[in-house]
Amino acid sequence: MAELIYNILRASEVKSINVFLRRKILQGMLKRPGNENRESLGFLTNDFKLLETNRIDAEFDAILAVSTLTLALSYALYSNWILTVVFFAGSMIPVLASNLF
């Protein structure tokens, strides 16, 4: 259920970002002569998918990862903070050892 809500919110936000950016580009295109609009039209159709895939999806993935980490760590600290601290310290040993050697 949470994933369904997340996907609906994500699609809605991507749609609103796309509509906002397309409106700005179209307003700029209407102010210029017809000959100069080829690049803008190409950007409007092709590059928006790349922008959506590379930028917007990456931002949503980063937000999801940070929120998942925050929720998991807060619940772990709430349920058994001693074991959480021991586990976290134990997981840092390989990281520190690899940096030393």
Side-chain angles (χ1 to χ4, degrees):
M1 187 64 150
E3 189 172 346
L4 176 65
I5 293 170
Y6 169 74
N7 285 336
I8 290 171
L9 291 174
R10 182 180 189 166
S12 172
E13 191 63 28
V14 167
K15 179 182 174 186
S16 68
I17 290 170
N18 279 342
V19 167
F20 173 76
L21 291 175
R22 287 176 192 256
R23 185 175 292 135
K24 289 289 185 182
I25 290 173
L26 283 173
Q27 287 173 352
M29 287 174 65
L30 292 174
K31 293 177 184 176
R32 295 191 302 180
N35 305 2
E36 299 176 6
N37 288 332
R38 283 190 183 142
E39 287 184 26
S40 297
L41 189 59
F43 178 74
L44 197 59
T45 55
N46 296 331
D47 294 343
F48 257 70
K49 185 61 181 170
L50 291 173
L51 176 68
E52 179 182 328
T53 303
N54 295 336
R55 174 75 190 263
I56 299 171
D57 286 347
E59 287 178 359
F60 281 121
D61 290 341
I63 291 170
L64 181 64
V66 168
S67 62
T68 302
L69 174 68
T70 304
L71 287 173
L73 190 59
S74 62
Y75 181 72
L77 288 171
Y78 171 75
S79 64
N80 192 349
W81 69 271
I82 295 172
L83 185 61
T84 302
V85 170
V86 169
F87 177 75
F88 189 72
S91 67
M92 285 294 150
I93 292 172
V95 173
L96 296 174
S98 67
N99 285 336
L100 290 175
F101 298 108

